[in-house]
Amino acid sequence: MDLRSPVTLADIAEAAHVSVGTVSRVLNGRKGSIKISQATISRVMEAAQRLGYQPNPFATALRTQRTGVLGAILRDMGDPFLSKLARALQQAAHEQGFELLLGHADYDAQTAQRQLTLMLNRWFDGLLLLGNLPDDATLLMMVQQSRTPCVAVASGAKTTVPLVALDEERGALLGLEYLFHLGHRRLAFVGTIEHAGVSERLATFRHFVKDRGLEWHEGYEQCCAARTPGDATERLRQLLARPRPPTAIFCASDALALRAMSVAWQLGFHLPAQLSILGFDDIEQAAESVPPLTTIRQPVSLMAQEAVSMLRDLIDGSANERQEYRRIVKPELIVRASCSSML
Amino acid sequence: MDLRSPVTLADIAEAAHVSVGTVSRVLNGRKGSIKISQATISRVMEAAQRLGYQPNPFATALRTQRTGVLGAILRDMGDPFLSKLARALQQAAHEQGFELLLGHADYDAQTAQRQLTLMLNRWFDGLLLLGNLPDDATLLMMVQQSRTPCVAVASGAKTTVPLVALDEERGALLGLEYLFHLGHRRLAFVGTIEHAGVSERLATFRHFVKDRGLEWHEGYEQCCAARTPGDATERLRQLLARPRPPTAIFCASDALALRAMSVAWQLGFHLPAQLSILGFDDIEQAAESVPPLTTIRQPVSLMAQEAVSMLRDLIDGSANERQEYRRIVKPELIVRASCSSML
């Protein structure tokens, strides 16, 4: 028997001398109002067994309208925060009885739409969107038109589907107040403004600098282009080569903070004595940098558990997806060794 | 009409006063030996249209046995070489008319088996295995029993399915000879031996050191545990704190080379004047390190194109999966600025 050409209901119907409808009713255990004799049932079951019939998962999905599989689309697999989040979502999905498969937008609107179309095509019980995706508005419209249950995680405040997100303002304030209490009065900001949450972190930074009357130079605020690490490196070089460089850099991601460390070492700064660097996210590499990175942790496991729970409720119909449904989680300051006192 | 409760063949059968089997035969255009009158066909088509019947993709897959979708399982999403490879595979799949979805083994044998089971369950036309996976032997047996077309990429020489892999010995030799010609006579090796290809790189290194009669100390060979970056950091510290440290480190991955740079900077080495560091893979971050990393490039785009072509041939039946089918690609030395001359 070629596994790629499985036994069909028609094969069984022919062998058992009954209709395809009867085979279907017997094998799917859904007789409905139609009477089927025990003799017929036995004949169908025997034929199915003799021919080596195996229920096809597509047929099962067709019947139950459920696959037990969730799909998650990432903006960028190379982003260490998003890959950490995807790993946590996979674990949370498994704990809650789902399997998870990943789609990848690869920073490209067309790719994102192709992957989403595939996932919306009833292959998946529900979808997770990770990070902000290229041309979000079109994707969110596609999701809503399909009425497929969907939850976004760390996708920015403008998302129109149920969302799990960080309290961004609180996260930024935790870091800025820590640097302030260490005695820093010349703070710089470095961030990729296109990434979800970063504009809120920048707004909080600007407000903090003004509110505390800190020393300010225009070059202290550096917004780096996404997907061009060379741009970030060049901006960090310019920032640190200023006549009056900052004494601390608030980086809107750990990835940028690690890059800032490299550039600072190369320019001869001793870390953290001559320059404090603060990250955001708490990616796996943060604890292993030189020096270990002090950062704002996004509680990724909790975010993943919440997102899968919300999605499960939407799939089960116990939550209404049209209602405003946002879960805001709290950040945490993780003190390691990349920031030092100026006092 | 609730999109989550689509019109079934039974609904149409009831409306058109025919059997489910007749509806199926009409809609799928497979009348077989059974005669169906034009009047019946019209009645079924009209009922289908009136009720808003849409062919279900599961039903289509059930009929055609094809989905146009490939699955790829990664060992670890956090590995920058594997995520680069996954991105290239997605692009190659799209160019060759497939969509790609990702599964993630997350370094765990049970997770790998669950994800593979899902992918083998006829959801996918073919599978790609990326990197060596935990408990490979079991997974490969599952793949072969299912007879699902499968190609492995960068999965190590022991893989029993068709494979695209690098000429590892040539790659290692390119790097070692480059360091030798720069005048280095104290070479160290750092690698994660559990990763595919690394044992071949180490064997080539040992042979080279012996063959050229280079200075040797036991600590010059450091095999790091997978998934424990702290172990690599500690081993690099020990290596560089030796009374006679090496003048060059041959790292079996760029990820380790970047870590070696951090540790070396922290210990006060000036790079590359006092220490040359050579990587392997050519990940995206390699060009952006401080200093930019000299490395051995794996031709990831070519590997991806080859793998998808091989898989397509297996799916089409134009290649025989039982024959030995290996495509070995050539590495390239990419000279940047992390290695300097000792002469």
Side-chain angles (χ1 to χ4, degrees):
Chain A
M1 173 66 53
D2 182 350
L3 286 174
R4 308 295 296 173
S5 307
V7 177
T8 64
L9 298 196
D11 297 332
I12 300 169
E14 199 180 309
H17 305 292
V18 298
S19 74
V20 174
T22 300
V23 174
S24 171
R25 287 186 194 96
V26 170
L27 293 180
N28 298 332
R30 298 198 308 178
K31 283 179 267 182
S33 58
I34 295 163
K35 272 226 160 176
I36 301 178
S37 72
Q38 194 54 49
T40 303
I41 293 174
S42 299
R43 211 158 68 235
V44 169
M45 296 304 278
E46 193 203 5
Q49 203 180 359
R50 179 158 41 86
L51 294 172
Y53 171 76
Q54 290 196 313
N56 185 310
F58 288 124
T60 307
L62 193 61
R63 199 166 64 245
T64 62
Q65 299 292 321
R66 289 287 171 85
T67 59
V69 184
L70 304 180
I73 299 188
L74 278 86
R75 176 183 65 227
D76 174 19
M77 293 207 6
D79 182 316
F81 171 68
L82 293 178
S83 68
K84 184 181 180 186
L85 185 56
R87 171 177 286 136
L89 282 167
Q90 188 180 22
Q91 286 166 358
H94 180 53
E95 282 162 17
Q96 299 192 39
F98 292 100
E99 202 61 44
L100 183 81
L101 290 179
L102 294 164
H104 181 218
D106 204 6
Y107 261 110
D108 179 70
Q110 282 196 318
T111 305
Q113 286 174 29
R114 287 201 331 265
Q115 294 260 303
L116 185 64
T117 300
L118 178 63
M119 288 190 165
L120 291 177
N121 226 354
R122 300 198 202 199
W123 283 59
F124 295 87
D125 289 348
L127 291 193
L128 296 154
L129 304 180
L130 275 63
N132 53 321
L133 295 167
D135 191 8
D136 285 38
T138 303
L139 300 178
L140 292 171
M141 207 177 60
M142 287 168 65
V143 167
Q144 281 164 331
Q145 282 182 349
S146 81
R147 298 181 59 187
T148 302
C150 180
V151 172
V153 193
S155 302
K158 279 180 252 161
T159 301
T160 54
V161 294
L163 173 70
V164 178
L166 191 75
D167 185 338
E168 300 288 357
E169 187 186 344
R170 188 186 170 98
L173 271 179
L174 274 176
L176 293 164
E177 276 171 358
Y178 176 67
L179 292 172
F180 187 85
H181 287 303
L182 287 175
H184 294 278
R185 298 295 180 265
R186 298 207 305 274
L187 302 184
F189 173 93
V190 177
T192 306
I193 204 78
E194 297 160 59
H195 289 175
V198 174
S199 61
E200 288 90 335
R201 294 170 207 167
L202 173 58
T204 306
F205 170 80
R206 285 175 176 169
H207 189 265
F208 187 86
V209 166
K210 204 173 166 192
D211 197 48
R212 305 290 171 111
L214 302 184
E215 183 173 336
W216 184 247
H217 305 277
E218 206 175 316
Y220 278 13
E221 187 182 302
Q222 296 286 343
C223 293
C224 312
R227 292 290 284 167
T228 48
D231 180 59
T233 301
E234 189 46 42
R235 287 175 175 280
L236 285 158
R237 281 210 181 98
Q238 285 174 15
L239 176 63
L240 293 176
R242 295 179 61 85
R244 243 175 115 71
T247 63
I249 307 179
F250 172 60
C251 300
S253 72
D254 286 354
L256 281 173
L258 298 181
R259 183 162 298 277
M261 281 189 187
S262 290
V263 172
W265 281 120
Q266 192 188 36
L267 293 177
F269 284 81
H270 192 77
L271 305 183
Q274 295 173 296
L275 179 70
S276 289
I277 294 177
L278 182 83
F280 206 106
D281 291 338
D282 198 28
I283 61 175
E284 286 177 12
Q285 296 91 318
E288 298 300 330
S289 62
V290 181
L293 185 63
T294 294
T295 191
I296 307 302
R297 175 180 290 167
Q298 300 209 47
V300 158
S301 294
L302 175 65
M303 292 164 84
Q305 286 159 14
E306 290 288 336
V308 174
S309 294
M310 278 164 67
L311 188 54
R312 193 193 52 205
D313 289 349
L314 290 171
I315 292 168
D316 291 348
S318 57
N320 184 335
E321 56 196 297
R322 269 158 297 190
Q323 77 195 32
E324 189 78 6
Y325 198 174
R326 308 213 148 192
R327 174 83 164 89
I328 306 299
V329 297
K330 289 210 185 328
E332 187 185 353
L333 172 70
I334 304 296
V335 175
R336 296 198 182 97
S338 67
C339 299
S340 72
S341 174
M342 296 291 287
L343 303 173
Chain B
M1 173 67 54
D2 182 350
L3 286 174
R4 306 299 294 173
S5 304
V7 177
T8 64
L9 298 195
D11 297 332
I12 299 169
E14 198 180 309
H17 305 293
V18 298
S19 74
V20 173
T22 300
V23 173
S24 171
R25 286 185 195 95
V26 170
L27 294 180
N28 297 335
R30 298 198 307 180
K31 284 180 265 184
S33 58
I34 296 164
K35 273 225 161 173
I36 303 180
S37 73
Q38 193 54 50
T40 303
I41 292 174
S42 299
R43 211 160 66 234
V44 169
M45 297 303 278
E46 193 203 7
Q49 204 181 356
R50 178 158 42 87
L51 293 171
Y53 172 75
Q54 290 195 311
N56 186 310
F58 288 125
T60 307
L62 193 61
R63 201 165 63 245
T64 63
Q65 299 292 318
R66 288 285 172 84
T67 59
V69 184
L70 305 180
I73 299 188
L74 280 86
R75 177 185 65 224
D76 175 20
M77 292 206 8
D79 183 316
F81 171 67
L82 293 178
S83 67
K84 184 181 180 185
L85 185 56
R87 171 177 286 136
L89 282 167
Q90 188 180 22
Q91 286 166 358
H94 180 52
E95 283 161 18
Q96 300 193 37
F98 292 100
E99 202 59 46
L100 183 81
L101 291 178
L102 295 164
H104 182 217
D106 204 6
Y107 261 109
D108 179 70
Q110 282 195 318
T111 304
Q113 285 175 30
R114 286 201 332 263
Q115 294 260 304
L116 185 64
T117 300
L118 177 62
M119 289 192 166
L120 292 177
N121 229 352
R122 301 200 200 193
W123 282 61
F124 294 88
D125 289 346
L127 290 193
L128 295 154
L129 304 180
L130 275 64
N132 52 322
L133 296 167
D135 191 7
D136 285 37
T138 303
L139 299 179
L140 292 170
M141 206 175 62
M142 288 167 65
V143 168
Q144 281 163 332
Q145 282 181 350
S146 81
R147 298 181 56 191
T148 301
C150 180
V151 171
V153 192
S155 303
K158 279 180 249 158
T159 301
T160 53
V161 294
L163 173 69
V164 177
L166 191 76
D167 184 339
E168 299 288 356
E169 187 185 344
R170 186 185 170 98
L173 271 179
L174 274 176
L176 293 164
E177 275 170 359
Y178 175 68
L179 293 172
F180 186 83
H181 288 303
L182 288 175
H184 293 279
R185 297 296 179 265
R186 299 206 306 273
L187 303 184
F189 172 93
V190 177
T192 306
I193 205 77
E194 297 159 59
H195 289 176
V198 175
S199 60
E200 288 91 336
R201 295 171 206 168
L202 174 57
T204 306
F205 170 81
R206 285 177 176 166
H207 189 265
F208 187 87
V209 166
K210 204 173 167 191
D211 196 48
R212 304 290 170 110
L214 302 184
E215 183 173 334
W216 183 247
H217 303 277
E218 206 174 317
Y220 278 13
E221 185 182 303
Q222 296 287 344
C223 293
C224 312
R227 292 288 284 166
T228 47
D231 180 58
T233 301
E234 189 47 41
R235 285 174 177 280
L236 285 158
R237 281 213 180 98
Q238 284 174 15
L239 175 63
L240 293 175
R242 295 179 60 86
R244 244 175 114 70
T247 63
I249 307 180
F250 172 59
C251 299
S253 72
D254 285 354
L256 281 172
L258 298 182
R259 184 163 297 278
M261 281 189 186
S262 290
V263 173
W265 281 120
Q266 192 187 35
L267 292 178
F269 284 81
H270 193 76
L271 305 183
Q274 294 173 300
L275 179 69
S276 290
I277 293 177
L278 182 82
F280 206 104
D281 291 338
D282 197 27
I283 61 175
E284 286 177 12
Q285 296 91 318
E288 297 300 329
S289 64
V290 182
L293 186 63
T294 294
T295 190
I296 307 301
R297 175 180 290 167
Q298 301 209 46
V300 158
S301 293
L302 175 66
M303 292 164 84
Q305 286 159 14
E306 290 288 336
V308 174
S309 294
M310 280 166 67
L311 188 53
R312 194 193 50 205
D313 289 349
L314 291 170
I315 292 168
D316 291 346
S318 58
N320 184 334
E321 59 196 295
R322 270 158 297 189
Q323 78 194 29
E324 189 79 6
Y325 197 175
R326 307 213 150 194
R327 174 83 165 88
I328 306 299
V329 297
K330 289 211 185 326
E332 187 185 353
L333 173 68
I334 304 296
V335 175
R336 294 197 183 95
S338 67
C339 299
S340 72
S341 173
M342 295 293 286
L343 302 173

